[in-house]
Each structure stands twice: as C-alpha cells, then as structure tokens.
Amino acid sequence: MQIFLDIATEAALAAGVVLQDYLGKLEDAISEKGRPGDLVTAADKASEQVILEVLRRHFPQHSILAEESGKLGNQDNDFLWAIDPLDGTTNYAHQYPCFAISIGLLIQGVPKVGVIYDPFHNELFRAAAGLGATRNRRPIQVSQTSELGRSLLVSGFAYDRRETTDNNYAEFCHLTHLTQGVRRGGAAALDLAYVACGRVDGYWERGIAPWDVAAGIILVQEAGGKVTAYDGTPIKIESGRILATNGHLHDSLSQELIKVPRLSSWT
C-alpha cells in the first residue's frame, strides 16, 4: 500500500506542475465535451498524460480508467487506477482557485489508495487502507459535529442538470434550511478531502463518475468518516451517487436525502 501511495503521489505532484504552468494561459484551448458546461482543456489532457506515464512506468499490467482517455489496459485486472487529471475544469478555466488532481486505486473494485492534490494552495491529501489519512504529511480526521443544525455541508450539480428533474436542486434547497449552510465548490475530489480534514461535515452528490470519488472515498474512510449510498447501504461507485460524512451525521443526513420530494413536485 505504501508503494502504491508513493507512486500515486509522484504522479499527482508531476501533474500539479503541469496545471500550474497552464493556469491563466489557455486562451482558446477550451472546448465542450457534449453537454453545456462540461469543459475540457489542453491542461486536462497534458495533466493526464503525465499521470499515465508515471503509472505505466511502475505498473504496466494495471488497468486504468481516466476521464479523458477512458478505459486503458486489461480491464479484468484486479488493480484499477481511476484518474481525474483536473477535477474542477470549469473553475480552472475561469482561474477560480478550486480544482485538483485525483488519483485513486481500486483493488477488486474497492478504493484502497487515494491522492488528491490542490496545486494552487499546495495541499496534498493522501490515504491508503490501514495507513491513515494526511494533509501535507500530517494526520487528519473528520469533524465531531453531531447535529445537522450545526453542520456545514458541501455538494454539487451534475452536467445534465438542465436536462433532467433527477438533479440536486431540491436536496440543496432542503438541506440549506436545515444546516448552517451548503457550499458548492465545483470539485468533488476536494469536497471529499474537506470532509476528511474536518472543514465540512458532510457531502452528497449525484451524477458523478468513479474518477471523481475513488481517491476521496478512502481518504474519508481513513480519516474516520463514513461513505455509503444515499440510503446508507454500501456504495456502488458506478452508481453516480455518494453520501460521505463524519459518521456522526450520517444517519440523519441519509434520512433527509431520502425524504426530499422530487423537484418536479415543488410549486
């Protein structure tokens, strides 16, 4: 696990240099991938190539699932690297300082290693099964908040939110009224990292991909938190839905998410 963690760290730090170099210099090198607002930049692609080079050099037999390149290598391998070379591309394109690199390793489908690197603030979040979770090499843990009314939450909105009523607007409004606030950062990996280090007490989202959350799941778990599906059952990373909390709020937040009426029924 330590070797996997160190190699993932090497890849994330190298990709961070790429993102710093491109920041503010993209000009016209930005395009949409299909849905409005789903951006890709030259920085995404360059960052991913650096990560792939590092992982392939050390683990040529491992399979890879990368946001820009898709599935690579033998997908039947027990070791799968889930890579988001630039989580928060829209933020990055606008030079809004909330973006990160996310590299997670799943072993037989279960997240076991995670590295999330925010190059703008130089914050490196790392975790591996049995090794704990750290921020810039120092141990971190989730918050102790135990009441929703005293909590600060974070969430996000999927790219298809304009096309479906199965979006996050209703939950966002509902929980804003029950808590001290709900933030929307625009980078799922950092949302999970912030749960892990106690900056926020809980996070939920729908419409996400495995590369968005693979690293963050093990980070939250190793920091003492809990990660499940909305209803508290074991998470299925391919489902696109996640609930992550400090553990103390998990049941109450799960119950509130389940009972929120669909947006289409609101007046």
Side-chain angles (χ1 to χ4, degrees), residues 165-217:
T165 57
D166 185 24
N167 57 44
N168 202 19
Y169 294 140
E171 289 90 339
F172 192 93
C173 293
H174 180 74
L175 288 163
T176 295
H177 284 264
L178 296 181
T179 63
Q180 290 186 346
V182 180
R183 303 290 181 254
R184 195 271 175 131
L190 284 181
D191 292 340
L192 286 162
Y194 290 175
V195 173
C197 70
R199 290 176 181 167
V200 295
D201 306 301
Y203 159 73
W204 85 98
E205 193 167 350
R206 63 180 70 196
I208 52 174
W211 53 72
D212 294 316
V213 297
I217 288 172

Side-chain angles (χ1 to χ4, degrees), residues 6-60:
D6 289 342
I7 299 306
T9 301
E10 176 189 340
L13 293 176
V17 174
V18 172
L19 295 188
Q20 287 283 47
D21 287 345
Y22 272 94
L23 186 61
K25 304 173 185 176
L26 291 171
E27 299 178 350
D28 297 326
I30 302 172
S31 59
E32 289 187 335
K33 292 191 286 187
R35 293 191 178 99
D38 189 1
L39 305 182
V40 63
T41 72
D44 293 75
K45 298 174 182 178
S47 174
E48 184 165 293
Q49 287 307 305
V50 167
I51 295 169
L52 292 177
E53 288 171 7
V54 173
L55 295 182
R56 284 168 167 166
R57 185 169 68 250
H58 290 280
F59 310 116

Side-chain angles (χ1 to χ4, degrees), residues 48-241:
E48 184 165 293
Q49 287 307 305
V50 167
I51 295 169
L52 292 177
E53 288 171 7
V54 173
L55 295 182
R56 284 168 167 166
R57 185 169 68 250
H58 290 280
F59 310 116
Q61 302 303 317
H62 288 189
S63 55
I64 292 173
L65 177 63
E67 181 174 16
E68 308 308 330
S69 302
K71 296 179 179 179
L72 302 170
N74 176 16
Q75 293 299 305
D76 294 328
N77 193 286
D78 286 343
F79 297 87
L80 172 66
W81 292 94
I83 302 165
D84 193 338
L86 174 48
D87 186 26
T89 300
T90 301
N91 290 342
Y92 182 86
H94 289 271
Q95 299 184 57
Y96 184 78
C98 185
F99 54 85
I101 296 127
S102 180
I103 303 173
L105 174 63
L106 292 85
I107 302 178
Q108 296 183 333
V110 180
K112 293 293 186 179
V113 175
V115 174
I116 297 169
Y117 180 48
D118 173 357
F120 189 90
H121 299 100
N122 194 30
E123 288 195 312
L124 176 66
F125 299 90
R126 310 196 319 154
L131 299 180
T134 63
R135 169 190 166 274
N136 290 348
R137 315 284 178 163
R138 295 185 178 183
I140 56 175
Q141 62 181 15
V142 295
S143 69
Q144 298 301 306
T145 305
S146 58
E147 300 175 25
L148 270 180
R150 296 178 178 273
S151 70
L152 179 66
L153 307 180
V154 66
S155 190
F157 304 104
Y159 291 117
D160 66 354
R161 61 189 180 275
R162 300 171 178 86
E163 306 155 13
T164 176
T165 57
D166 185 24
N167 57 44
N168 202 19
Y169 294 140
E171 289 90 339
F172 192 93
C173 293
H174 180 74
L175 288 163
T176 295
H177 284 264
L178 296 181
T179 63
Q180 290 186 346
V182 180
R183 303 290 181 254
R184 195 271 175 131
L190 284 181
D191 292 340
L192 286 162
Y194 290 175
V195 173
C197 70
R199 290 176 181 167
V200 295
D201 306 301
Y203 159 73
W204 85 98
E205 193 167 350
R206 63 180 70 196
I208 52 174
W211 53 72
D212 294 316
V213 297
I217 288 172
I218 186 64
L219 196 70
V220 171
Q221 292 172 336
E222 285 295 309
K226 187 174 182 178
V227 183
T228 68
Y230 279 15
D231 61 2
T233 58
I235 188 171
K236 296 179 180 179
I237 197 168
E238 69 280 0
S239 71
R241 300 193 181 199

